Amino acid sequence: MAKGQEQAKTRGKKTKNILNYPRTGVSGWTRFLPSVRLLVVGGLSIIIALCVLFSIGYAVTDVPEPNIEATGQTSTIYYNDGKTPIGQYKVEDRKSVPIDEISEPMRKAAIAAEDTSFYENRGISIKGLSRAVVGVVTNQYAGGGSTITQQYVKNFYLTNEHSLDRKVKEMFISLKIDQQQSKDEILANYLNTIYLGRRSYGIEVASQNYFDKPAKDLDVSESALLAAMIQRPGAADPADNPEAYQDRFDYVVKSMTDEGFITEEQAAKVKMPEVKKADKEGSLKGQTGYMWDFVRREALNKLDIDEAQLDRGGYNITTTFDKDRMKAAEKAVKNLPSDQPEGLQAGLVSIDPDSGGIEAFYGGKNYLDQAFNASTQSHVQPGSTFKPFALVAGLENGVRLTDRYPGNSPTAIDNQGTPWMVDNFADANYGPVTLLKATQSSINTAYAALNAQVGTDKTIDAAVRAGVSPNCTEKEKNSGNTGQCSYALDDIYPSVVLGTASVKPIDMATAYSTFASNGIKHETHSISKVTQGTEDEEVYKPETKGKRVFDKAVMAETSYALQQVVNGGSGGYAANLGRPAAGKTGTTTDNTAAWFSGYTPNLATSVVLYREVDNKQKSIGAYGGRGQVTGGSFPAQVWTDYMQQALEGEKVVQFPERGELPEKPKPKNTNAPAPPPQPKAPSENGSDNGGDGGDTKTKAPIDTPSEKPKDDEDKDKDSGSDDKKPEPSIPADPPTATDPPNGNDEGSDKGSDKDKGSDKDKGSDKDKGSDKGSDKDKGSDKDKGSGSEEGG
């Protein structure tokens, strides 16, 4: 045989299989058993392959962005102390706190319950992970076995999906998180993301909801219960069924003992803690909902964010609301007689004139029953509370309190060459009166003459500068977005001076606050500060410096005149406040609304009562033992009751001294009465700065302070109704405001169905300024007796 052939024949026998499988030199079936070499090589290959796969998986798996659901935190609003909560904005209840604001027992209880090797492991548990993988593969996943880090990753970055892919991602992310964050950071993040029932996400919210205390104050028993709830937070409410968590509670306590977190003696004393009952009442009941809603609107606007951002942003919003003054406002309104007619609404807004911050308001009886805020959303005719704007306009243009105006009824007012017939109530005659007397007794004829002298446009301008929203545009009226405007505030209607426009109570409070601040207009607001995050970084603070819109001397003179309304005039009941106060009463035609707006140098408050049924304003009618409700009666009573409580303990501040008024050319007063006959008649009550002459036979008396108004005082009111037909070219009253847009938005109009800007006040003030055929928009104002209003 050739040599080459021999080599080819024996080559296969000499060459061994690299794995030696099947094994050579072994006969029978045992040759198929793997050799040690095969086992070693195979094992190493698998390990290498797993390492390669692990490295690839670790490298390609990035830590994702956190879930928006996990990062979203509850925004909380507080009273002006920055500590007492009012309410929250949230999708779910969630608030994160740093580790040092979580009690040590709570940290240890969580570790004892969920991951005793937390401080030793590297973020994953091989045993637990293997059990989970098998469970997923066999479709028998029962949960558990995950480390605290893994649970945190699942809650914060992933989902609860039961899949192998999610479990693998969870492992790799947990390893990376363990490298990137300290154990304390991971533990804090975990405790801030767990769900614990009652819509509570995170240990801080759960601690408040179950034990009414912050997480930093949780003791061993409270911590053990919360830790026991981590596995099954929705199994039961521990306040109703603590037995549902008893076994797990005992396990946590035992584990804490085994880990040396507590001693056996301490463990023996640990009992199931007492849990407060869940708040089954609406969190927005009463006035809380009105505050919640008003602040929400302002926050969205000032922070320039959408609702989702507010609900998840974790903002801490400190408001201007004073808790005691809010209670005082509610109490003052609740002190009204209980026999209220259907649809009676009360509004009250109180503003700090130094900043424009809303100290208190009354939105309605219960936000849950009526979300519409009577103080900030309704449009109501102000009656004679609007007259001070004409007073300011006059003082700015050379008019003085000693100037004289017609006070007899009826009087044909020359309105830029066109007659405008104006009556006082019951045709009461005051004769020629000074502007001071006209203010004190709210005399319609005199104020109609003043308005004709200075111009309706200047009266409206003064009102808007003070804080009244400007007239609604057609676009605003058509869209119903009337939250920042007023109805019928148009200078083609001279009767605007008698209160025929429809304005919001918050606007009147803002305007009188400008008077109280001696002419500095501040933006009315309810938010004093907004912070965000665990570091409480300030993200918003309002500008409270204000802007001067009126001369100081003009304001001092205005306040002096309005003090006379309280000191012996139509608002005499407010003198019971017992400190310097200024203000004005107002009552509308047909008694649909009654007002008192007033102020001290340190607080301005406006109060209104009005009645509305089926979105139509109706007469309040007989109520509380009175034939009619007037501005000087119950509104003045509510104002005084509230202000007495609100200013208790506050320093008594005097109004500024009267000064030198601006020298301006005085507009010609075409309605000036003839000089009084000699000898001059003495002034009434010495409050006239020169006195009022004229017909004393039917002159109405000046109101004096009294006890709570009684019905038998309802005499000598004035009305704004009109029975003298003026020239058709002068629209003395605004058109009807029948059925303005309504709704629950901040701008909707809850005003009248007839723009009856009225003034019913004692012995004066009856504006019959338009054609006789009109039964709408008749500015009138009636108030009777002591402490009531004359003419507005």
Side-chain angles (χ1 to χ4, degrees):
M1 182 181 295
K3 185 177 180 180
Q5 290 177 324
E6 182 68 22
Q7 289 176 340
K9 188 176 181 180
T10 60
R11 185 180 299 128
K13 296 179 179 180
K14 293 179 180 179
T15 303
K16 292 183 178 180
N17 189 319
I18 189 172
L19 295 178
N20 191 26
Y21 187 85
R23 290 186 294 171
T24 59
V26 179
S27 62
W29 65 271
T30 57
R31 63 193 295 261
F32 293 102
L33 292 175
S35 64
V36 173
R37 179 190 300 176
L38 180 60
L39 291 173
V40 171
V41 172
L44 289 174
S45 298
I46 292 173
I47 291 173
I48 292 171
L50 289 175
C51 289
V52 171
L53 291 173
F54 180 87
S55 299
I56 294 173
Y58 187 86
V60 300
T61 302
D62 294 323
V63 177
E65 290 296 320
N67 293 326
I68 187 172
E69 291 82 6
T71 55
Q73 296 187 51
T74 300
S75 295
T76 305
I77 55 175
Y78 300 90
Y79 283 103
N80 59 3
D81 61 6
K83 299 177 181 179
T84 307
I86 296 172
Q88 298 175 325
Y89 306 123
K90 60 191 176 183
V91 175
E92 63 271 327
D93 213 347
R94 185 191 299 274
K95 185 172 184 179
S96 296
V97 292
I99 192 68
D100 58 2
E101 291 188 25
I102 302 173
S103 73
E104 187 175 350
M106 186 64 240
R107 295 180 236 168
K108 291 179 177 179
I111 292 171
E114 298 297 317
D115 185 5
T116 55
S117 66
F118 172 69
Y119 279 103
E120 288 76 39
N121 66 50
R122 304 320 305 163
I124 63 172
S125 167
I126 299 299
K127 179 180 178 182
L129 185 62
S130 300
R131 184 167 66 248
V133 171
V134 172
V136 170
V137 171
T138 61
N139 199 29
Q140 294 181 344
Y141 181 71
S146 297
T147 64
I148 281 177
T149 307
Q150 287 175 274
Q151 292 182 55
Y152 159 56
V153 167
K154 180 188 70 175
N155 294 337
F156 197 69
Y157 297 105
L158 302 174
T159 67
N160 285 320
E161 176 190 4
H162 296 157
S163 69
L164 185 60
D165 179 64
R166 196 271 290 171
K167 207 60 185 171
V168 170
K169 285 182 179 179
E170 177 187 296
M171 177 187 69
F172 285 124
I173 296 172
S174 296
L175 289 168
K176 287 194 171 185
I177 290 295
D178 191 73
Q179 297 296 315
Q180 296 172 4
Q181 300 179 15
S182 70
K183 288 292 187 180
D184 281 350
E185 288 176 320
I186 294 172
L187 182 59
N189 290 335
Y190 167 70
L191 290 173
N192 282 322
T193 56
I194 54 176
Y195 177 63
L196 291 166
R198 291 191 185 178
R199 297 187 67 204
S200 304
Y201 287 81
I203 196 65
E204 176 66 17
V205 173
S207 179
Q208 295 284 359
N209 285 346
Y210 289 108
F211 302 112
D212 202 21
K213 63 169 63 174
K216 65 181 179 180
D217 295 334
L218 290 169
D219 61 24
V220 173
S221 64
E222 295 162 344
S223 300
L225 175 58
L226 292 176
M229 294 173 63
I230 293 174
Q231 277 194 353
R232 297 188 304 142
D237 190 307
D240 301 325
N241 185 17
E243 295 80 10
Y245 296 105
Q246 187 66 58
D247 290 345
R248 186 66 178 172
F249 176 82
D250 294 339
Y251 166 79
V252 174
V253 174
K254 183 178 184 303
S255 182
M256 292 180 75
T257 306
D258 293 343
E259 294 299 316
F261 295 152
I262 59 175
T263 66
E264 291 187 0
E265 290 77 11
Q266 290 174 318
K269 297 178 182 179
V270 176
K271 305 296 181 185
M272 183 70 74
E274 183 178 348
V275 179
K276 78 169 187 175
K277 291 285 186 181
D279 183 11
K280 299 186 184 300
E281 296 293 329
S283 61
L284 300 181
K285 63 183 178 180
Q287 299 306 301
T288 301
Y290 295 113
M291 290 186 283
W292 181 92
D293 183 70
F294 190 85
V295 173
R296 183 178 183 84
R297 296 171 189 273
E298 187 171 321
L300 293 173
N301 179 42
K302 297 301 182 182
L303 298 177
D304 193 23
I305 57 177
D306 59 30
E307 293 193 299
Q309 289 172 299
L310 179 60
D311 292 339
R312 297 184 185 276
Y315 295 100
N316 295 311
I317 304 172
T318 302
T319 71
T320 60
F321 299 130
D322 184 278
K323 186 176 181 180
D324 292 335
R325 287 179 173 177
M326 283 295 300
K327 289 181 178 178
E330 187 172 18
K331 181 179 178 182
V333 173
K334 285 185 175 180
N335 283 340
L336 287 169
S338 59
D339 58 328
Q340 298 180 4
E342 177 191 6
L344 185 67
Q345 302 284 340
L348 182 154
V349 183
S350 188
I351 296 175
D352 177 4
D354 292 332
S355 67
I358 302 173
E359 294 283 312
F361 67 60
Y362 181 85
K365 292 179 180 178
N366 188 350
Y367 178 80
L368 296 179
D369 296 331
Q370 174 190 297
F372 190 89
N373 191 322
S375 290
T376 65
Q377 293 177 288
S378 62
H379 285 74
V380 184
Q381 293 179 320
S384 285
T385 58
F386 204 85
K387 288 177 180 175
F389 304 126
L391 172 64
V392 170
L395 295 173
E396 287 182 322
N397 288 277
V399 174
R400 298 297 179 258
L401 293 179
T402 53
D403 289 357
R404 304 177 73 80
Y405 295 90
N408 285 342
S409 177
T411 296
I413 301 299
D414 176 12
N415 188 68
Q416 299 180 349
T418 303
W420 170 25
M421 286 306 277
V422 181
D423 284 3
N424 296 323
F425 178 74
D427 286 329
N429 290 318
Y430 291 83
V433 294
T434 63
L435 182 55
L436 183 63
K437 168 63 179 175
T439 303
Q440 183 186 43
S441 296
S442 196
I443 301 173
N444 279 348
T445 53
Y447 260 90
L450 172 65
N451 187 70
Q453 180 184 9
V454 298
T456 304
D457 58 334
K458 289 185 172 58
T459 296
I460 293 175
D461 175 67
V464 172
R465 277 188 288 148
V468 174
S469 296
N471 196 37
C472 292
T473 64
E474 288 302 316
K475 180 179 179 181
E476 287 172 324
K477 285 188 285 188
N478 292 335
S479 67
N481 184 24
T482 57
Q484 304 302 320
C485 64
S486 302
Y487 281 97
L489 192 63
D490 195 318
D491 61 12
I492 67 171
Y493 309 118
S495 60
V496 162
V497 67
L498 304 176
T500 57
S502 289
V503 301
K504 300 191 301 296
I506 192 172
D507 283 358
M508 295 304 289
T510 298
Y512 277 68
S513 174
T514 301
F515 295 165
S517 67
N518 209 32
I520 298 177
K521 166 73 166 55
H522 298 87
E523 181 181 6
T524 299
H525 60 279
S526 65
I527 297 176
S528 64
K529 182 175 67 171
V530 180
T531 62
Q532 188 178 30
T534 56
E535 300 298 322
D536 270 344
E537 177 186 358
E538 185 173 284
V539 296
Y540 172 75
K541 193 173 184 67
E543 173 57 60
T544 58
K545 184 178 180 180
K547 176 184 178 181
R548 177 163 293 283
V549 293
F550 298 120
D551 179 81
K552 292 181 180 179
V554 169
M555 286 293 96
E557 199 78 350
T558 299
S559 292
Y560 172 77
L562 294 180
Q563 285 178 78
Q564 310 316 309
V565 176
V566 175
N567 300 328
S570 60
Y573 184 83
N576 291 314
L577 180 61
R579 62 172 67 207
K584 187 69 188 72
T585 50
T587 312
T588 64
T589 298
D590 293 339
N591 197 214
T592 57
W595 294 71
F596 187 82
S597 294
Y599 57 95
T600 67
N602 41 10
L603 193 62
T605 302
S606 188
V607 175
V608 63
L609 295 181
Y610 68 96
R611 185 180 177 215
E612 187 169 289
V613 179
D614 297 330
N615 292 331
K616 302 286 186 180
Q617 285 202 0
K618 305 291 184 182
S619 173
I620 298 173
Y623 165 55
R626 297 181 60 86
Q628 294 188 59
V629 175
T630 56
S633 61
F634 293 126
Q637 174 187 319
V638 171
W639 185 91
T640 306
D641 289 353
Y642 163 74
M643 292 288 279
Q644 285 175 334
Q645 297 176 70
L647 295 173
E648 185 176 0
E650 293 284 328
K651 180 181 178 182
V652 175
V653 181
Q654 302 296 324
F655 283 102
E657 294 291 332
R658 299 166 70 188
E660 193 72 25
L661 290 168
E663 289 294 335
K664 294 286 184 69
K666 184 187 302 185
K668 184 178 180 181
N669 183 3
T670 58
N671 297 288
Q678 296 297 328
K680 184 178 178 181
S683 64
E684 293 184 5
N685 288 355
S687 62
D688 226 12
N689 270 13
D692 297 323
D695 184 356
T696 60
K697 183 177 180 180
T698 59
K699 183 176 292 186
I702 298 175
D703 290 339
T704 56
S706 71
E707 298 303 319
K708 291 186 179 181
K710 298 181 176 61
D711 194 42
D712 60 2
E713 296 170 343
D714 280 4
K715 299 176 181 179
D716 299 329
K717 303 176 189 172
D718 56 41
S719 168
S721 59
D722 178 30
D723 51 21
K724 299 288 177 69
K725 187 172 182 179
E727 294 294 326
S729 61
I730 297 296
D733 294 316
T736 177
T738 302
D739 298 328
N742 272 307
N744 282 337
D745 62 301
E746 182 70 25
S748 63
D749 175 25
K750 298 286 287 186
S752 61
D753 57 317
K754 300 177 181 181
D755 249 325
K756 298 176 180 176
S758 54
D759 259 61
K760 302 175 182 179
D761 269 85
K762 175 181 174 182
S764 65
D765 225 51
K766 185 174 182 183
D767 170 23
K768 300 183 176 181
S770 63
D771 69 281
K772 186 175 181 179
S774 172
D775 60 351
K776 302 178 182 179
D777 304 344
K778 298 174 181 175
S780 70
D781 210 79
K782 298 179 183 177
D783 260 319
K784 301 175 181 177
S786 172
S788 66
E789 172 185 5
E790 303 176 347

